[in-house]
PDB file of all heavy atoms in Angstrom:
ATOM      1  N   GLN A 194      40.497 123.772 112.551  1.00 98.00           N
ATOM      2  CA  GLN A 194      39.850 123.774 113.860  1.00 98.00           C
ATOM      3  C   GLN A 194      40.858 123.537 114.980  1.00 98.00           C
ATOM      4  O   GLN A 194      40.789 124.174 116.042  1.00 98.00           O
ATOM      5  CB  GLN A 194      38.773 122.701 113.899  1.00 98.00           C
ATOM      6  CG  GLN A 194      37.882 122.737 115.119  1.00 98.00           C
ATOM      7  CD  GLN A 194      36.829 121.647 115.082  1.00 98.00           C
ATOM      8  OE1 GLN A 194      37.119 120.482 115.366  1.00 98.00           O
ATOM      9  NE2 GLN A 194      35.626 122.017 114.691  1.00 98.00           N
ATOM     10  N   SER A 195      41.815 122.664 114.749  1.00 98.00           N
ATOM     11  CA  SER A 195      42.807 122.351 115.790  1.00 98.00           C
ATOM     12  C   SER A 195      43.628 123.583 116.159  1.00 98.00           C
ATOM     13  O   SER A 195      43.958 123.798 117.334  1.00 98.00           O
ATOM     14  CB  SER A 195      43.724 121.224 115.333  1.00 98.00           C
ATOM     15  OG  SER A 195      44.375 121.572 114.115  1.00 98.00           O
ATOM     16  N   ASP A 196      43.983 124.411 115.168  1.00 98.00           N
ATOM     17  CA  ASP A 196      44.733 125.626 115.462  1.00 98.00           C
ATOM     18  C   ASP A 196      43.875 126.638 116.208  1.00 98.00           C
ATOM     19  O   ASP A 196      44.328 127.271 117.174  1.00 98.00           O
ATOM     20  CB  ASP A 196      45.261 126.259 114.170  1.00 98.00           C
ATOM     21  CG  ASP A 196      46.440 125.499 113.575  1.00 98.00           C
ATOM     22  OD1 ASP A 196      47.235 124.942 114.352  1.00 98.00           O
ATOM     23  OD2 ASP A 196      46.553 125.458 112.346  1.00 98.00           O
ATOM     24  N   LEU A 197      42.641 126.810 115.805  1.00 98.00           N
ATOM     25  CA  LEU A 197      41.751 127.769 116.453  1.00 98.00           C
ATOM     26  C   LEU A 197      41.558 127.455 117.935  1.00 98.00           C
ATOM     27  O   LEU A 197      41.358 128.358 118.741  1.00 98.00           O
ATOM     28  CB  LEU A 197      40.389 127.782 115.747  1.00 98.00           C
ATOM     29  CG  LEU A 197      40.396 128.265 114.298  1.00 98.00           C
ATOM     30  CD1 LEU A 197      39.025 128.026 113.666  1.00 98.00           C
ATOM     31  CD2 LEU A 197      40.778 129.738 114.200  1.00 98.00           C
ATOM     32  N   ARG A 198      41.664 126.178 118.287  1.00 98.00           N
ATOM     33  CA  ARG A 198      41.422 125.756 119.676  1.00 98.00           C
ATOM     34  C   ARG A 198      42.690 125.508 120.487  1.00 98.00           C
ATOM     35  O   ARG A 198      42.644 125.540 121.720  1.00 98.00           O
ATOM     36  CB  ARG A 198      40.566 124.480 119.681  1.00 98.00           C
ATOM     37  CG  ARG A 198      39.202 124.679 119.068  1.00 98.00           C
ATOM     38  CD  ARG A 198      38.392 123.392 119.073  1.00 98.00           C
ATOM     39  NE  ARG A 198      37.086 123.592 118.443  1.00 98.00           N
ATOM     40  CZ  ARG A 198      36.162 122.642 118.316  1.00 98.00           C
ATOM     41  NH1 ARG A 198      36.414 121.414 118.784  1.00 98.00           N
ATOM     42  NH2 ARG A 198      35.020 122.905 117.736  1.00 98.00           N
ATOM     43  N   TRP A 199      43.832 125.270 119.804  1.00 98.00           N
ATOM     44  CA  TRP A 199      45.023 124.823 120.538  1.00 98.00           C
ATOM     45  C   TRP A 199      46.291 125.629 120.297  1.00 98.00           C
ATOM     46  O   TRP A 199      47.224 125.539 121.093  1.00 98.00           O
ATOM     47  CB  TRP A 199      45.322 123.359 120.161  1.00 98.00           C
ATOM     48  CG  TRP A 199      44.338 122.371 120.660  1.00 98.00           C
ATOM     49  CD1 TRP A 199      43.215 121.933 120.010  1.00 98.00           C
ATOM     50  CD2 TRP A 199      44.364 121.672 121.897  1.00 98.00           C
ATOM     51  NE1 TRP A 199      42.552 120.998 120.765  1.00 98.00           N
ATOM     52  CE2 TRP A 199      43.231 120.813 121.936  1.00 98.00           C
ATOM     53  CE3 TRP A 199      45.258 121.676 122.984  1.00 98.00           C
ATOM     54  CZ2 TRP A 199      42.962 119.990 123.016  1.00 98.00           C
ATOM     55  CZ3 TRP A 199      44.978 120.834 124.067  1.00 98.00           C
ATOM     56  CH2 TRP A 199      43.839 120.012 124.073  1.00 98.00           C
ATOM     57  N   ILE A 200      46.369 126.383 119.214  1.00 98.00           N
ATOM     58  CA  ILE A 200      47.631 127.026 118.858  1.00 98.00           C
ATOM     59  C   ILE A 200      48.112 127.947 119.975  1.00 98.00           C
ATOM     60  O   ILE A 200      47.321 128.514 120.720  1.00 98.00           O
ATOM     61  CB  ILE A 200      47.495 127.809 117.528  1.00 98.00           C
ATOM     62  CG1 ILE A 200      48.864 128.072 116.916  1.00 98.00           C
ATOM     63  CG2 ILE A 200      46.728 129.125 117.721  1.00 98.00           C
ATOM     64  CD1 ILE A 200      48.812 128.566 115.471  1.00 98.00           C
ATOM     65  N   ARG A 201      49.441 128.088 120.065  1.00 98.00           N
ATOM     66  CA  ARG A 201      49.963 129.004 121.085  1.00 98.00           C
ATOM     67  C   ARG A 201      51.175 129.779 120.544  1.00 98.00           C
ATOM     68  O   ARG A 201      51.035 130.885 120.037  1.00 98.00           O
ATOM     69  CB  ARG A 201      50.329 128.247 122.369  1.00 98.00           C
ATOM     70  CG  ARG A 201      50.324 129.166 123.596  1.00 98.00           C
ATOM     71  CD  ARG A 201      50.664 128.409 124.876  1.00 98.00           C
ATOM     72  NE  ARG A 201      49.773 127.341 125.207  1.00 98.00           N
ATOM     73  CZ  ARG A 201      48.634 127.482 125.897  1.00 98.00           C
ATOM     74  NH1 ARG A 201      48.242 128.675 126.300  1.00 98.00           N
ATOM     75  NH2 ARG A 201      47.883 126.426 126.187  1.00 98.00           N
ATOM     76  N   GLU A 202      52.371 129.226 120.630  1.00 97.00           N
ATOM     77  CA  GLU A 202      53.584 130.005 120.366  1.00 97.00           C
ATOM     78  C   GLU A 202      53.670 130.537 118.937  1.00 97.00           C
ATOM     79  O   GLU A 202      54.099 131.673 118.716  1.00 97.00           O
ATOM     80  CB  GLU A 202      54.823 129.178 120.706  1.00 97.00           C
ATOM     81  CG  GLU A 202      54.951 128.840 122.185  1.00 97.00           C
ATOM     82  CD  GLU A 202      54.933 130.075 123.067  1.00 97.00           C
ATOM     83  OE1 GLU A 202      55.562 131.083 122.698  1.00 97.00           O
ATOM     84  OE2 GLU A 202      54.277 130.039 124.123  1.00 97.00           O
ATOM     85  N   ARG A 203      53.309 129.726 117.944  1.00 97.00           N
ATOM     86  CA  ARG A 203      53.406 130.200 116.556  1.00 97.00           C
ATOM     87  C   ARG A 203      52.532 131.433 116.345  1.00 97.00           C
ATOM     88  O   ARG A 203      52.869 132.303 115.553  1.00 97.00           O
ATOM     89  CB  ARG A 203      52.970 129.096 115.590  1.00 97.00           C
ATOM     90  CG  ARG A 203      53.995 128.012 115.367  1.00 97.00           C
ATOM     91  CD  ARG A 203      53.474 126.997 114.374  1.00 97.00           C
ATOM     92  NE  ARG A 203      52.264 126.360 114.859  1.00 97.00           N
ATOM     93  CZ  ARG A 203      51.279 125.916 114.074  1.00 97.00           C
ATOM     94  NH1 ARG A 203      51.351 126.065 112.763  1.00 97.00           N
ATOM     95  NH2 ARG A 203      50.225 125.320 114.594  1.00 97.00           N
ATOM     96  N   PHE A 204      51.429 131.482 117.043  1.00 98.00           N
ATOM     97  CA  PHE A 204      50.524 132.632 116.957  1.00 98.00           C
ATOM     98  C   PHE A 204      51.032 133.793 117.802  1.00 98.00           C
ATOM     99  O   PHE A 204      51.149 134.933 117.335  1.00 98.00           O
ATOM    100  CB  PHE A 204      49.127 132.214 117.411  1.00 98.00           C
ATOM    101  CG  PHE A 204      48.204 133.353 117.706  1.00 98.00           C
ATOM    102  CD1 PHE A 204      47.770 134.215 116.707  1.00 98.00           C
ATOM    103  CD2 PHE A 204      47.747 133.559 119.008  1.00 98.00           C
ATOM    104  CE1 PHE A 204      46.907 135.271 116.991  1.00 98.00           C
ATOM    105  CE2 PHE A 204      46.883 134.611 119.303  1.00 98.00           C
ATOM    106  CZ  PHE A 204      46.476 135.473 118.288  1.00 98.00           C
TER     107      PHE A 204
END
Side-chain angles (χ1 to χ4, degrees):
Q194 189 180 79
S195 57
D196 286 326
L197 295 171
R198 298 179 182 181
W199 291 90
I200 199 168
R201 203 179 300 275
E202 295 304 319
R203 283 181 299 149
F204 165 66

